Amino acid sequence: QVQLVESGGGSVQAGGSLRLSCAASGFTFGAYRMSWFRQTPGKEREGVARISTRGSSTEYADSVKGRFTISRDNAKNTVYLQMNSLKPEDTAMYYCARPRGGTASTWDKPGQYDYWGQGTQVTVSS
């Protein structure tokens, strides 16, 4: 069955870095664009970044542009999120997600995705 397993979260001070990983299994990973989302209590899940099937195209939320980098290794069935210059407002649970049908017409809308990982917590202190 489809599984997405995130790792790499933790607690860092503002200005620090973390690298999140999402290991995928149970489907043809290279056929799917993949995305990262984040969510804080009481708020809607927010799209952070998306990457094309081969990694040649990426999209980012305005709030993370220039600080976060999404990448993937199709040989390892893994998508990454490198997060630099972290801010306290980046504190959230981070999820990777697989879109229905391989892509999403509006990549940052959670309803476009059918499988989610369990999440990894990122906490940034000031």
Side-chain angles (χ1 to χ4, degrees):
Q1 71 276 23
V2 174
Q3 283 194 314
L4 300 171
V5 180
E6 300 97 336
S7 61
S11 297
V12 295
Q13 290 192 327
S17 298
L18 284 172
R19 188 194 195 203
L20 307 184
S21 299
C22 171
S25 61
F27 65 102
T28 306
F29 179 73
Y32 286 79
R33 298 182 181 186
M34 296 294 294
S35 296
W36 285 95
F37 284 76
R38 65 186 181 186
Q39 189 172 26
T40 54
K43 292 190 176 182
E44 290 189 358
R45 202 162 285 192
E46 172 192 22
V48 175
R50 179 177 76 166
I51 190 165
S52 61
T53 55
R54 296 184 180 183
S56 58
S57 176
T58 57
E59 296 178 82
Y60 296 93
D62 287 343
S63 58
V64 307
K65 280 180 183 176
R67 300 188 298 121
F68 290 11
T69 302
I70 188 171
S71 62
R72 66 190 296 161
D73 185 337
N74 286 350
K76 295 182 178 179
N77 286 359
T78 301
V79 59
Y80 305 97
L81 187 67
Q82 177 67 45
M83 306 186 295
N84 298 329
S85 302
L86 282 161
K87 303 176 181 180
E89 51 263 43
D90 294 319
T91 295
M93 186 73 80
Y94 283 73
Y95 301 88
C96 66
R98 189 195 83 163
R100 291 188 180 87
T103 188
S105 57
T106 310
W107 73 269
D108 60 345
K109 301 304 181 186
Q112 302 274 331
Y113 296 81
D114 56 0
Y115 284 95
W116 299 82
Q118 83 289 349
T120 186
Q121 178 68 37
V122 171
T123 303
V124 185
S125 57
S126 58

Coordinates of all heavy atoms in Angstrom, one line a residue, residues 53-123:
T53 N 8.1 15.7 -11.5 CA 8.4 14.3 -11.4 C 9.9 14.0 -11.5 O 10.4 13.1 -10.9 CB 7.7 13.5 -12.5 OG1 8.0 14.1 -13.8 CG2 6.2 13.5 -12.3
R54 N 10.6 14.8 -12.3 CA 12.1 14.6 -12.5 C 12.9 15.6 -11.7 O 14.1 15.6 -11.8 CB 12.4 14.6 -14.0 CG 11.8 13.5 -14.8 CD 12.3 13.5 -16.2 NE 11.7 12.4 -17.0 CZ 12.0 12.2 -18.3 NH1 12.9 12.9 -18.9 NH2 11.4 11.2 -18.9
G55 N 12.2 16.5 -11.0 CA 12.9 17.5 -10.2 C 13.3 18.8 -10.9 O 14.0 19.6 -10.4
S56 N 12.9 18.9 -12.2 CA 13.4 20.1 -13.0 C 12.6 21.3 -12.7 O 13.0 22.4 -13.1 CB 13.3 19.7 -14.5 OG 12.0 19.4 -14.8
S57 N 11.4 21.2 -12.1 CA 10.6 22.3 -11.9 C 10.1 22.3 -10.4 O 9.7 21.3 -9.9 CB 9.3 22.3 -12.8 OG 8.4 23.3 -12.5
T58 N 10.2 23.5 -9.8 CA 9.7 23.6 -8.4 C 8.9 24.8 -8.2 O 8.9 25.8 -9.0 CB 10.9 23.7 -7.4 OG1 11.7 24.8 -7.8 CG2 11.8 22.4 -7.5
E59 N 8.0 24.8 -7.2 CA 7.2 25.9 -6.8 C 7.2 26.1 -5.3 O 7.3 25.0 -4.6 CB 5.8 25.7 -7.3 CG 5.6 25.7 -8.8 CD 4.2 25.4 -9.2 OE1 3.4 26.4 -9.3 OE2 3.9 24.3 -9.5
Y60 N 7.1 27.3 -4.8 CA 7.2 27.6 -3.4 C 6.2 28.6 -2.9 O 5.8 29.4 -3.7 CB 8.6 28.1 -3.0 CG 9.7 27.2 -3.3 CD1 10.4 27.2 -4.5 CD2 10.1 26.3 -2.4 CE1 11.5 26.4 -4.8 CE2 11.2 25.4 -2.6 CZ 11.8 25.4 -3.8 OH 12.9 24.6 -4.1
A61 N 5.8 28.4 -1.7 CA 5.0 29.5 -1.1 C 5.8 30.7 -0.9 O 7.0 30.6 -0.7 CB 4.5 29.0 0.3
D62 N 5.2 31.9 -1.0 CA 6.0 33.1 -0.9 C 6.7 33.2 0.4 O 7.8 33.8 0.5 CB 5.0 34.3 -1.1 CG 4.5 34.5 -2.5 OD1 5.1 33.9 -3.4 OD2 3.5 35.2 -2.7
S63 N 6.1 32.6 1.4 CA 6.7 32.8 2.8 C 8.0 32.0 2.9 O 8.8 32.3 3.9 CB 5.7 32.3 3.8 OG 5.4 30.9 3.6
V64 N 8.3 31.1 2.0 CA 9.6 30.3 2.2 C 10.5 30.5 1.0 O 11.6 29.9 1.0 CB 9.2 28.8 2.3 CG1 8.3 28.6 3.5 CG2 8.7 28.2 1.1
K65 N 10.1 31.2 0.0 CA 11.0 31.4 -1.2 C 12.3 32.0 -0.8 O 12.4 32.9 0.0 CB 10.3 32.3 -2.2 CG 9.3 31.7 -3.1 CD 8.7 32.7 -4.1 CE 7.6 32.0 -4.9 NZ 6.9 33.0 -5.8
G66 N 13.4 31.4 -1.3 CA 14.7 31.9 -1.0 C 15.3 31.2 0.2 O 16.5 31.4 0.5
R67 N 14.5 30.5 1.0 CA 15.0 29.9 2.2 C 14.9 28.4 2.2 O 15.7 27.7 2.7 CB 14.2 30.4 3.4 CG 14.3 31.9 3.6 CD 13.7 32.4 5.0 NE 12.3 32.1 5.0 CZ 11.7 31.3 5.9 NH1 12.4 30.7 6.9 NH2 10.4 31.1 5.9
F68 N 13.9 27.9 1.5 CA 13.6 26.5 1.5 C 13.9 26.0 0.1 O 13.7 26.7 -0.9 CB 12.2 26.1 1.8 CG 11.8 26.3 3.2 CD1 12.6 27.0 4.1 CD2 10.5 25.8 3.7 CE1 12.2 27.2 5.5 CE2 10.1 26.0 5.0 CZ 11.0 26.7 5.9
T69 N 14.4 24.7 0.0 CA 14.6 24.1 -1.3 C 14.0 22.6 -1.3 O 14.4 21.9 -0.4 CB 16.1 24.0 -1.6 OG1 16.7 25.3 -1.6 CG2 16.3 23.4 -3.0
I70 N 13.2 22.4 -2.2 CA 12.7 21.0 -2.4 C 13.5 20.3 -3.4 O 13.9 20.9 -4.4 CB 11.1 21.0 -2.7 CG1 10.5 19.6 -2.7 CG2 10.9 21.7 -4.1 CD1 9.0 19.6 -2.8
S71 N 13.7 19.0 -3.2 CA 14.5 18.2 -4.1 C 14.0 16.7 -4.0 O 13.2 16.4 -3.1 CB 16.0 18.3 -3.9 OG 16.3 17.8 -2.6
R72 N 14.4 15.9 -4.9 CA 14.0 14.5 -4.9 C 15.1 13.6 -5.5 O 15.9 14.0 -6.3 CB 12.7 14.3 -5.6 CG 12.7 14.5 -7.1 CD 11.3 14.5 -7.7 NE 10.7 13.3 -7.6 CZ 9.3 13.1 -7.7 NH1 8.6 14.2 -7.9 NH2 8.8 11.9 -7.6
D73 N 15.1 12.4 -5.0 CA 15.9 11.3 -5.6 C 15.1 10.2 -5.9 O 14.6 9.4 -5.1 CB 17.0 10.9 -4.5 CG 18.0 9.9 -5.0 OD1 17.7 9.2 -6.0 OD2 19.1 9.9 -4.4
N74 N 14.8 10.0 -7.2 CA 13.8 9.0 -7.6 C 14.4 7.6 -7.5 O 13.7 6.6 -7.3 CB 13.4 9.2 -9.1 CG 12.4 10.4 -9.2 OD1 11.9 10.9 -8.2 ND2 12.2 10.8 -10.5
A75 N 15.7 7.5 -7.5 CA 16.3 6.2 -7.2 C 16.1 5.7 -5.8 O 16.1 4.5 -5.5 CB 17.8 6.2 -7.5
K76 N 15.9 6.7 -4.9 CA 15.7 6.3 -3.5 C 14.3 6.5 -3.1 O 13.9 6.4 -1.9 CB 16.6 7.2 -2.6 CG 18.1 7.0 -2.8 CD 18.9 7.8 -1.8 CE 20.4 7.5 -2.0 NZ 21.3 8.3 -1.1
N77 N 13.4 6.9 -4.0 CA 12.0 7.1 -3.7 C 11.8 8.1 -2.5 O 11.0 7.9 -1.6 CB 11.3 5.8 -3.4 CG 11.0 5.0 -4.6 OD1 11.4 5.4 -5.7 ND2 10.5 3.8 -4.4
T78 N 12.6 9.2 -2.6 CA 12.6 10.1 -1.5 C 12.5 11.6 -2.0 O 13.2 11.9 -3.0 CB 13.9 9.9 -0.6 OG1 13.9 8.6 -0.1 CG2 13.9 10.9 0.6
V79 N 11.7 12.4 -1.3 CA 11.7 13.8 -1.5 C 12.2 14.5 -0.3 O 11.9 14.0 0.9 CB 10.2 14.2 -1.9 CG1 9.2 13.9 -0.8 CG2 10.2 15.7 -2.3
Y80 N 12.9 15.6 -0.5 CA 13.5 16.3 0.6 C 13.0 17.8 0.7 O 12.5 18.3 -0.3 CB 15.1 16.4 0.4 CG 15.7 15.0 0.2 CD1 16.0 14.5 -1.0 CD2 16.0 14.3 1.3 CE1 16.5 13.3 -1.2 CE2 16.6 13.0 1.2 CZ 16.9 12.5 -0.1 OH 17.4 11.3 -0.2
L81 N 13.2 18.4 1.9 CA 12.9 19.8 2.0 C 14.1 20.3 2.9 O 14.2 20.1 4.1 CB 11.6 20.1 2.7 CG 11.2 21.5 2.8 CD1 10.9 22.1 1.4 CD2 10.0 21.7 3.7
Q82 N 15.0 21.1 2.2 CA 16.1 21.8 2.9 C 15.5 23.1 3.4 O 15.1 23.9 2.6 CB 17.3 21.9 2.0 CG 18.4 22.7 2.6 CD 19.1 21.9 3.8 OE1 19.3 20.7 3.7 NE2 19.3 22.6 4.9
M83 N 15.6 23.3 4.7 CA 15.1 24.6 5.3 C 16.2 25.3 5.9 O 16.8 24.9 6.9 CB 14.0 24.2 6.3 CG 12.9 23.4 5.7 SD 11.5 23.1 6.9 CE 12.4 22.2 8.2
N84 N 16.5 26.5 5.4 CA 17.5 27.4 5.9 C 16.9 28.7 6.4 O 15.8 29.0 6.1 CB 18.6 27.7 4.8 CG 19.3 26.5 4.3 OD1 19.5 25.5 5.0 ND2 19.6 26.5 3.0
S85 N 17.7 29.4 7.2 CA 17.3 30.7 7.8 C 15.9 30.5 8.4 O 15.0 31.3 8.2 CB 17.3 31.7 6.7 OG 18.5 31.9 6.1
L86 N 15.8 29.5 9.2 CA 14.5 29.2 9.8 C 14.0 30.4 10.8 O 14.8 31.0 11.4 CB 14.5 27.9 10.6 CG 14.4 26.7 9.6 CD1 14.9 25.4 10.4 CD2 13.0 26.5 9.2
K87 N 12.7 30.6 10.8 CA 12.1 31.6 11.6 C 11.1 31.0 12.6 O 10.6 29.9 12.3 CB 11.4 32.6 10.7 CG 12.2 33.3 9.6 CD 11.4 34.2 8.7 CE 12.2 34.8 7.6 NZ 11.3 35.7 6.8
P88 N 10.8 31.6 13.7 CA 9.8 31.1 14.6 C 8.5 30.8 13.9 O 7.8 29.8 14.2 CB 9.7 32.1 15.7 CG 11.0 32.8 15.7 CD 11.5 32.8 14.2
E89 N 8.1 31.6 12.9 CA 6.8 31.3 12.2 C 6.9 30.1 11.3 O 5.8 29.7 10.7 CB 6.4 32.6 11.4 CG 7.5 33.1 10.5 CD 8.2 34.3 11.1 OE1 8.6 34.2 12.3 OE2 8.5 35.3 10.4
D90 N 8.0 29.5 11.1 CA 8.1 28.2 10.4 C 7.7 27.0 11.3 O 7.6 25.9 10.8 CB 9.5 28.0 9.9 CG 9.9 29.0 8.8 OD1 9.0 29.3 8.0 OD2 11.0 29.5 8.8
T91 N 7.6 27.3 12.6 CA 7.2 26.2 13.5 C 5.8 25.6 13.1 O 4.8 26.3 12.9 CB 7.1 26.7 14.9 OG1 8.4 27.2 15.4 CG2 6.5 25.7 15.9
A92 N 5.8 24.3 12.9 CA 4.6 23.6 12.4 C 4.9 22.1 12.3 O 6.1 21.7 12.4 CB 4.2 24.1 11.0
M93 N 3.9 21.3 12.1 CA 4.0 19.9 11.6 C 4.1 20.0 10.1 O 3.3 20.6 9.4 CB 2.8 19.1 12.1 CG 3.0 17.6 11.8 SD 4.1 16.9 13.0 CE 3.1 16.7 14.4
Y94 N 5.2 19.3 9.6 CA 5.4 19.2 8.2 C 5.0 17.9 7.6 O 5.4 16.8 8.2 CB 6.9 19.5 7.9 CG 7.2 21.0 8.0 CD1 7.2 21.6 9.2 CD2 7.4 21.8 6.9 CE1 7.5 23.0 9.4 CE2 7.7 23.1 7.0 CZ 7.7 23.7 8.2 OH 8.0 25.1 8.3
Y95 N 4.3 17.9 6.5 CA 3.8 16.7 5.9 C 4.3 16.6 4.4 O 4.2 17.7 3.7 CB 2.3 16.6 5.9 CG 1.7 16.7 7.2 CD1 1.4 17.9 7.8 CD2 1.3 15.5 7.9 CE1 0.7 18.0 9.1 CE2 0.7 15.6 9.2 CZ 0.4 16.8 9.7 OH -0.2 16.9 10.9
C96 N 4.6 15.5 3.9 CA 4.7 15.3 2.5 C 3.4 14.7 2.0 O 2.6 14.0 2.7 CB 5.9 14.4 2.1 SG 5.9 12.7 2.6
A97 N 3.1 14.9 0.7 CA 1.8 14.5 0.1 C 2.0 14.1 -1.3 O 2.8 14.7 -2.1 CB 0.8 15.6 0.3
R98 N 1.1 13.1 -1.7 CA 1.1 12.7 -3.1 C -0.3 13.1 -3.7 O -1.3 12.9 -3.1 CB 1.1 11.1 -3.1 CG 1.3 10.6 -4.5 CD 1.0 9.1 -4.5 NE -0.4 8.8 -4.7 CZ -0.9 7.7 -5.1 NH1 -0.1 6.7 -5.3 NH2 -2.2 7.5 -5.2
P99 N -0.2 13.8 -4.9 CA -1.4 14.2 -5.5 C -2.2 13.1 -6.2 O -1.6 12.2 -6.7 CB -0.9 15.3 -6.5 CG 0.4 14.8 -6.9 CD 1.0 14.1 -5.6
R100 N -3.5 13.3 -6.3 CA -4.3 12.4 -7.0 C -4.0 12.4 -8.5 O -3.8 13.5 -9.0 CB -5.8 12.7 -6.9 CG -6.4 12.5 -5.5 CD -7.9 12.8 -5.5 NE -8.5 12.6 -4.2 CZ -8.5 13.5 -3.3 NH1 -8.1 14.7 -3.5 NH2 -9.0 13.2 -2.1
G101 N -3.8 11.3 -9.1 CA -3.6 11.3 -10.5 C -2.2 11.7 -10.9 O -2.0 12.0 -12.1
G102 N -1.3 11.9 -10.0 CA 0.1 12.3 -10.4 C 0.4 13.7 -10.3 O 1.6 14.1 -10.2
T103 N -0.6 14.6 -10.4 CA -0.3 16.0 -10.4 C -1.5 16.7 -9.7 O -2.5 16.1 -9.4 CB -0.1 16.6 -11.8 OG1 0.4 17.9 -11.7 CG2 -1.3 16.5 -12.6
A104 N -1.4 18.0 -9.5 CA -2.5 18.8 -8.9 C -2.6 20.1 -9.7 O -1.6 20.8 -9.9 CB -2.1 19.0 -7.4
S105 N -3.8 20.4 -10.1 CA -4.0 21.6 -10.9 C -3.7 22.9 -10.0 O -3.2 23.9 -10.5 CB -5.4 21.7 -11.4 OG -6.4 21.6 -10.3
T106 N -4.0 22.8 -8.7 CA -3.6 23.9 -7.8 C -2.8 23.2 -6.7 O -3.4 22.6 -5.8 CB -4.9 24.5 -7.2 OG1 -5.8 24.9 -8.3 CG2 -4.5 25.8 -6.5
W107 N -1.5 23.3 -6.8 CA -0.6 22.5 -6.0 C -0.7 22.7 -4.5 O -0.5 21.8 -3.7 CB 0.8 22.6 -6.5 CG 1.5 23.9 -6.0 CD1 1.5 25.1 -6.7 CD2 2.1 24.2 -4.8 NE1 2.2 26.0 -6.0 CE2 2.6 25.5 -4.8 CE3 2.4 23.4 -3.7 CZ2 3.3 26.1 -3.8 CZ3 3.2 23.9 -2.6 CH2 3.6 25.3 -2.7
D108 N -1.2 23.9 -4.1 CA -1.1 24.2 -2.7 C -2.5 24.0 -2.0 O -2.7 24.4 -0.9 CB -0.6 25.6 -2.5 CG -1.5 26.7 -3.1 OD1 -2.3 26.3 -4.0 OD2 -1.3 27.9 -2.8
K109 N -3.4 23.3 -2.7 CA -4.7 23.0 -2.1 C -4.7 21.6 -1.5 O -4.6 20.6 -2.3 CB -5.8 23.2 -3.1 CG -5.9 24.6 -3.6 CD -6.0 25.7 -2.6 CE -6.1 27.0 -3.2 NZ -6.1 28.1 -2.1
P110 N -4.8 21.3 -0.3 CA -4.8 20.0 0.3 C -5.8 19.0 -0.3 O -5.5 17.8 -0.4 CB -5.1 20.2 1.8 CG -4.7 21.6 2.1 CD -5.0 22.4 0.8
G111 N -6.9 19.5 -0.8 CA -7.9 18.6 -1.4 C -7.4 17.9 -2.6 O -8.1 16.9 -3.1
Q112 N -6.3 18.4 -3.2 CA -5.8 17.8 -4.5 C -5.0 16.5 -4.2 O -4.5 15.9 -5.1 CB -4.9 18.8 -5.2 CG -5.6 20.1 -5.5 CD -6.3 20.0 -6.9 OE1 -5.9 19.3 -7.7 NE2 -7.4 20.8 -7.0
Y113 N -4.8 16.2 -2.9 CA -3.9 15.1 -2.5 C -4.6 14.0 -1.8 O -5.6 14.2 -1.1 CB -2.8 15.7 -1.6 CG -1.9 16.7 -2.2 CD1 -2.4 18.0 -2.4 CD2 -0.7 16.3 -2.8 CE1 -1.6 18.9 -3.1 CE2 0.1 17.3 -3.5 CZ -0.4 18.6 -3.6 OH 0.4 19.5 -4.3
D114 N -4.2 12.7 -2.2 CA -4.9 11.6 -1.6 C -4.1 10.8 -0.6 O -4.7 10.0 0.2 CB -5.4 10.7 -2.7 CG -4.2 10.2 -3.6 OD1 -3.1 10.6 -3.4 OD2 -4.5 9.4 -4.6
Y115 N -2.8 11.0 -0.5 CA -2.0 10.3 0.5 C -1.1 11.3 1.2 O -0.5 12.2 0.6 CB -1.2 9.2 -0.1 CG -2.0 8.0 -0.4 CD1 -2.5 7.8 -1.7 CD2 -2.3 7.0 0.6 CE1 -3.3 6.7 -2.0 CE2 -3.1 5.9 0.3 CZ -3.6 5.8 -1.0 OH -4.3 4.7 -1.3
W116 N -1.0 11.1 2.5 CA -0.2 12.0 3.4 C 0.7 11.2 4.3 O 0.3 10.1 4.7 CB -1.1 12.9 4.3 CG -2.0 13.8 3.5 CD1 -3.2 13.5 2.9 CD2 -1.7 15.2 3.2 NE1 -3.7 14.6 2.2 CE2 -2.8 15.6 2.4 CE3 -0.7 16.1 3.5 CZ2 -2.9 17.0 1.9 CZ3 -0.8 17.4 3.1 CH2 -1.9 17.8 2.3
G117 N 1.8 11.7 4.7 CA 2.6 11.1 5.7 C 2.0 11.4 7.1 O 1.1 12.1 7.2
Q118 N 2.7 10.9 8.1 CA 2.2 11.1 9.5 C 2.7 12.5 10.0 O 2.2 12.9 11.1 CB 2.7 10.0 10.4 CG 4.2 10.1 10.9 CD 5.2 9.9 9.9 OE1 5.0 9.5 8.8 NE2 6.5 10.2 10.2
G119 N 3.7 13.1 9.3 CA 4.2 14.4 9.7 C 5.4 14.3 10.6 O 5.7 13.3 11.3
T120 N 6.2 15.4 10.5 CA 7.4 15.6 11.4 C 7.4 17.0 11.9 O 7.1 17.9 11.2 CB 8.7 15.2 10.6 OG1 9.8 15.3 11.5 CG2 8.9 16.2 9.5
Q121 N 7.6 17.1 13.2 CA 7.4 18.4 13.9 C 8.7 19.2 13.8 O 9.8 18.7 14.0 CB 7.1 18.2 15.4 CG 7.0 19.5 16.2 CD 5.8 20.4 15.8 OE1 4.7 19.8 15.5 NE2 6.0 21.7 15.8
V122 N 8.5 20.5 13.4 CA 9.6 21.5 13.3 C 9.3 22.6 14.3 O 8.2 23.2 14.2 CB 9.8 22.0 11.9 CG1 10.8 23.2 11.9 CG2 10.3 20.9 11.0
T123 N 10.2 22.8 15.2 CA 10.0 23.9 16.2 C 11.2 24.9 16.1 O 12.4 24.4 16.3 CB 9.9 23.3 17.6 OG1 8.8 22.4 17.6 CG2 9.6 24.5 18.6

